[in-house]
Amino acid sequence: MIFVVIMIAAATTIIAASVDLGRMAAYKQKQSEREAKWDYCVESAKSLVVENLSNYGSTTQSFVQTVNGISLSISAVPAPTWNPTTSTRISITGTLDGQSRTSNILIGKRTYVNPFLFAMYFTSKFNPNHHVFLNSDLFLPSQYDLTYTHLTGDCYTTQTTAPTFNSFTGNFYGRQPVEQFQLNSAVYAANASITTSGASVLNNPTNLISLTHSQLRYHTGNLTISGTVTGEITIFVKGGAYIDNVQLATSILSRLVVICDGDINFESGTCSVFIMGNGKCRMSGSNGNRNITGSVAANELTATNNPWTINYDNYFALFPDAANRYWLPGAW
């Protein structure tokens, strides 16, 4: 009898311990599931904020979104204790299994698509009315007419089906997001080493010394750039930019980047420039061919009227850090 009693007691103890262990395992499993569910919510909120950054360009956001059955309050502001100019602090609050949860995460510097990775990049309309020849990639907006376009390179576009070119020898990449150019003229003005204004001509721009950045010039009004570029120069134009047969010096490293808060105008002839603007790109002055070495990006291309040839310079593709060196939006 004593042996039976001992065995019953031992069995009872084992069963009780097994029940406790089973209860603990179930609790741990439930806790693990809750954490995984909340982590999913946090990652989803981060993705929504990043998407809004890309679409709207504002680092300050506040909205409500239901994710996996959980209502989340999501807000984003420039990170006050990290780097408010290049980072964002995201706060996510929700109720999970009756308990309020809040997580805060930081995401780093917001960058923009570098349009100089394409021979031409347009965000709104591409409608040349004369032949355009490109020897590298084209980013095509939703409005286009390719009757006169000859593309030796790949086509990237928001469309789902490949458009019809006059001639096309590359690959088609559809469903691409389009990003408008975000140009903060006040920031460029504050960092410029040379500031000018008025309707004027800049002939033979020269910069003999470049360390971490190219020389940054800031101009308010219409600016015509002509002659030979010596050295590394970036020009921000708040107005119309007119490119008149700009050439590069061959004896030393020379390169010109023009960022235009306005329309871009090309005179007839041959020029070497990387240029982007948030207005129209068109011809200016007399009739004749436009032969451009570098890259061209703008809101729309219209009224070409004469043949255009784009000879792509892949400098920014070979050296990604050059986006920072040449003061491209979102890269510094």
Side-chain angles (χ1 to χ4, degrees):
M1 286 295 294
I2 295 174
F3 176 77
V4 172
V5 170
I6 293 173
M7 291 299 295
I8 293 174
T12 303
T13 302
I14 293 171
I15 293 172
S18 298
V19 170
D20 287 341
L21 290 173
R23 185 185 300 115
M24 181 61 70
Y27 173 79
K28 289 293 186 181
Q29 178 65 28
K30 184 67 174 178
Q31 185 181 44
S32 177
E33 291 173 356
R34 280 197 301 267
E35 292 304 315
K37 194 173 184 179
W38 183 250
D39 288 342
Y40 173 78
C41 290
V42 171
E43 287 301 312
S44 298
K46 177 182 175 180
S47 297
L48 291 168
V49 169
V50 171
E51 181 180 7
N52 288 341
L53 284 173
S54 177
N55 291 337
Y56 307 117
S58 173
T59 56
T60 301
Q61 304 174 36
S62 181
F63 58 95
V64 175
Q65 180 72 40
T66 299
V67 176
N68 202 22
I70 302 172
S71 179
L72 302 176
S73 296
I74 304 168
S75 63
V77 296
T81 59
W82 192 16
N83 189 339
T85 61
T86 61
S87 59
T88 300
R89 179 178 182 271
I90 304 174
S91 179
I92 306 102
T93 299
T95 300
L96 179 61
D97 289 347
Q99 298 295 319
S100 179
R101 297 284 299 265
T102 298
S103 292
N104 296 298
I105 58 175
L106 295 171
I107 60 175
K109 183 175 184 178
R110 187 201 168 193
T111 59
Y112 299 95
V113 172
N114 183 348
F116 297 153
L117 300 180
F118 300 82
M120 278 188 152
Y121 185 108
F122 288 90
T123 61
S124 179
K125 182 186 295 185
F126 187 85
N127 189 22
N129 60 352
H130 209 293
H131 292 282
V132 175
F133 302 87
L134 300 93
N135 69 346
S136 190
D137 300 346
L138 166 68
F139 190 97
L140 193 65
S142 57
Q143 298 183 56
Y144 56 83
D145 183 345
L146 303 173
T147 303
Y148 299 102
T149 302
H150 308 257
L151 177 60
T152 306
D154 296 335
C155 174
Y156 295 77
T157 179
T158 60
Q159 305 301 299
T160 57
T161 57
T164 301
F165 290 82
N166 186 294
S167 63
F168 176 41
T169 60
N171 298 309
F172 168 72
Y173 298 97
R175 301 181 184 273
Q176 301 296 311
V178 63
E179 185 170 293
Q180 302 295 324
F181 303 129
Q182 307 291 334
L183 305 182
N184 191 329
S185 58
V187 173
Y188 278 95
N191 286 274
S193 57
I194 298 176
T195 301
T196 55
S197 63
S200 58
V201 176
L202 175 61
N203 192 40
N204 299 327
T206 300
N207 172 42
L208 298 179
I209 300 177
S210 292
L211 298 176
T212 58
H213 286 86
S214 66
Q215 180 189 72
L216 177 61
R217 295 169 174 253
Y218 182 89
H219 182 86
T220 303
N222 292 339
L223 178 65
T224 299
I225 307 169
S226 62
T228 301
V229 175
T230 301
E232 299 178 279
I233 299 174
T234 300
I235 304 175
F236 187 97
V237 180
K238 189 172 178 58
Y242 294 78
I243 309 301
D244 186 5
N245 289 280
V246 171
Q247 303 300 317
L248 304 179
T250 57
S251 58
I252 59 174
L253 175 64
S254 298
R255 191 167 291 107
L256 175 65
V257 170
V258 178
I259 303 170
C260 181
D261 188 3
D263 293 338
I264 298 167
N265 306 271
F266 283 96
E267 300 287 343
S268 61
T270 301
C271 67
S272 295
V273 64
F274 292 90
I275 188 166
M276 63 179 294
N278 57 9
K280 298 178 180 179
C281 177
R282 55 196 179 190
M283 64 168 285
S284 176
S286 61
N287 291 328
N289 294 359
R290 270 72 178 164
N291 297 299
I292 303 163
T293 296
S295 177
V296 179
N299 185 41
E300 65 177 64
L301 179 70
T302 55
T304 49
N305 297 344
N306 291 271
W308 289 46
T309 300
I310 311 299
N311 300 301
Y312 178 59
D313 183 341
N314 65 349
Y315 170 75
F316 285 91
L318 293 176
F319 304 101
D321 289 343
N324 173 63
R325 184 172 184 81
Y326 283 89
W327 308 90
L328 299 193
W332 56 282

